[in-house]
Amino acid sequence: PKSLEQLNGFTFEKIINEDPATHSLTLLGSFPDAHGQNEITAIVRIEKTALNASDAERLFGENSMIRRAVLEESTDIYTWMFAWLGENRERDVKINVICPATEVHIRKYTRQEVVMISETPELYEQVVKPYIQAFPPSRTQWVENILTGLSEQNKLLYSSDQFVILPDMKWDLKTISSLYLTVIAQDRTIRSMRDLRKEHVGLLKSIRRKSYSIVKNKWDLGPGSLRLFIHYQPSYYHFHVHVVNANYQTGNAGMMVGQAHLLEDVISLLELEDGTGPGIFERMTLTYAVGDQHGLHKAFKEAGAVLDG
Ligand code: M7G
């Protein structure tokens, strides 16, 4: 096919690949041959083109390219919307806004080089703990809003005095192959994975059990289709678990080795504790990548903890 008219001669048979990360669909089907007598098997891959950096200045404003936008959610400083670049179309773009954005947000979203850090328990005490404690409570206002019923209440999939489950802000809420939920613990004393102890095994297992049953009931995906993980370092120091379609692949660092720790492995490690003496996460050295814009980077450098790059 060399024209739209010829493209429209395509007979769709089935989808052979669906990749939300590259915004593409690969279709199997056929085109008629030149005489219109036989059907010739064809693969068509359709991918949304990248947004053009030179359009940046006209994305918003008087001559905006955006024709329509619908608010999906707004909480604290975070807002997300879906928008259309023309009429009668499938929604084109998801727009996330952070306003007002803090210095920490700007650093987090800025492209950067990473270096590997081996965080010993001593380094945690000396550098990381004070860093976590220095965050003002406003940093996790969005979490408080969810837990106290001020926002995203119609999104809650589960709520108890232990934790809530709801769609993650990253998810478009409809593409099952990129399903992304977040589980937020009520317990405000667990700031990160470092704080997990044997006594939390019950909580972690309930999170696992409930996540499985909710996803099964609502989207008919079994436990084998889910990847449950915890970030270390996370961006927000209020304990939460990521629940993601196991088949979802993204270039996003959030699922990379080093930052993502499987909930299963964490439960298993904690179960090995004998319940006396310091816990595994009090004794373990955790190795991960830190961006050179990350708030911890400078402190680690000063402490001589940055490995040669
Ligand atoms: P994280 O491991 O602390 O950091 O995860 P990351 O953002 O670097 O992954 C926090 C998770 O909460 C992320 O998956 C975010 O997309 C998600 N998230 C962040 N905010 C501000 C919101 C929100 O307001 N609502 C919801 N539903 N999810 C959020």
Side-chain angles (χ1 to χ4, degrees):
K2 303 270 191 302
S3 64
L4 176 61
E5 193 187 350
Q6 289 169 353
L7 266 180
N8 284 333
F10 183 69
T11 305
F12 168 74
E13 189 189 322
K14 63 175 178 184
I15 296 176
I16 55 174
N17 199 356
E18 181 194 349
D19 184 5
T22 58
H23 309 287
S24 67
L25 283 180
T26 308
L27 313 177
L28 185 66
S30 60
F31 285 104
D33 68 10
H35 313 290
Q37 279 164 355
N38 298 307
E39 287 289 312
I40 308 171
T41 302
I43 292 170
V44 174
R45 182 169 182 277
I46 178 160
E47 175 182 335
K48 283 193 182 170
T49 52
L51 292 168
N52 206 333
S54 62
D55 284 334
E57 287 180 17
R58 57 188 204 100
L59 276 172
F60 304 101
E62 243 171 62
N63 300 314
S64 173
M65 294 161 61
I66 294 172
R67 292 284 155 270
R68 185 155 84 89
V70 173
L71 179 67
E72 179 58 41
E73 201 66 62
S74 186
T75 162
D76 183 39
I77 59 173
Y78 305 94
T79 301
W80 51 113
M81 296 182 183
F82 291 107
W84 287 256
L85 301 177
E87 303 301 330
N88 301 324
R89 300 160 58 102
E90 175 61 27
R91 57 193 194 183
D92 288 297
V93 289
K94 180 164 177 275
I95 301 176
N96 280 51
V97 180
I98 303 176
C99 184
T102 64
E103 184 60 31
V104 179
H105 290 103
I106 298 170
R107 286 164 169 270
K108 174 179 167 187
Y109 286 92
T110 301
R111 192 190 177 97
Q112 52 196 290
E113 294 285 310
V114 300
V115 286
M116 299 307 290
I117 299 287
S118 284
E119 182 195 295
T120 58
E122 296 73 39
L123 209 51
Y124 172 72
E125 287 296 328
Q126 187 193 326
V127 173
V128 181
K129 209 171 170 181
Y131 167 79
I132 296 174
Q133 286 167 347
F135 272 111
S138 60
R139 173 75 180 159
T140 41
Q141 187 58 47
W142 67 274
V143 175
E144 291 303 323
N145 287 354
I146 293 169
L147 295 180
T148 55
L150 285 174
S151 64
E152 300 186 59
Q153 295 306 292
N154 59 346
K155 297 268 168 60
L156 293 189
L157 298 162
Y158 176 78
S159 170
S160 73
D161 56 7
Q162 279 195 304
F163 56 89
V164 301
I165 306 180
L166 75 166
D168 192 281
M169 178 174 81
K170 287 194 188 93
W171 193 34
D172 71 4
L173 299 167
K174 67 170 196 182
T175 312
I176 295 179
S177 57
S178 61
L179 180 121
Y180 206 129
L181 308 180
T182 178
V183 184
I184 302 176
Q186 296 278 1
D187 186 343
R188 288 150 178 87
T189 65
I190 314 170
R191 305 301 303 271
S192 77
M193 193 171 80
R194 271 273 182 218
D195 291 333
L196 292 175
R197 300 290 178 268
K198 197 180 181 75
E199 71 202 52
H200 297 119
V201 167
L203 167 70
L204 300 178
K205 285 186 169 173
S206 318
I207 288 178
R208 179 176 64 184
R209 192 173 54 245
K210 267 295 156 198
S211 303
Y212 284 165
S213 71
I214 279 176
V215 174
K216 180 72 193 159
N217 290 339
K218 207 163 159 68
W219 293 283
D220 199 29
L221 288 180
S225 297
L226 291 180
R227 203 184 293 260
L228 276 60
F229 57 90
I230 300 165
H231 277 165
Y232 195 79
Q233 297 285 330
S235 297
Y236 302 97
Y237 293 94
H238 179 123
F239 186 68
H240 58 277
V241 176
H242 302 250
V243 176
V244 182
N245 190 321
N247 288 293
Y248 183 41
Q249 290 176 10
T250 149
N252 187 315
M255 284 207 288
M256 261 188 207
V257 61
Q259 199 191 3
H261 298 261
L262 287 170
L263 178 66
E264 288 293 343
D265 291 356
V266 170
I267 291 175
S268 177
L269 277 175
L270 291 171
E271 282 182 331
L272 291 174
E273 290 186 6
D274 62 10
T276 62
I280 298 257
F281 289 111
E282 275 175 287
R283 288 181 285 148
M284 212 173 145
T285 293
L286 290 160
T287 301
Y288 50 85
V290 166
D292 57 19
Q293 298 291 314
H294 195 284
L296 280 169
H297 186 268
K298 198 164 152 252
F300 278 140
K301 224 175 164 137
E302 284 164 9
V306 175
L307 302 180
D308 283 342

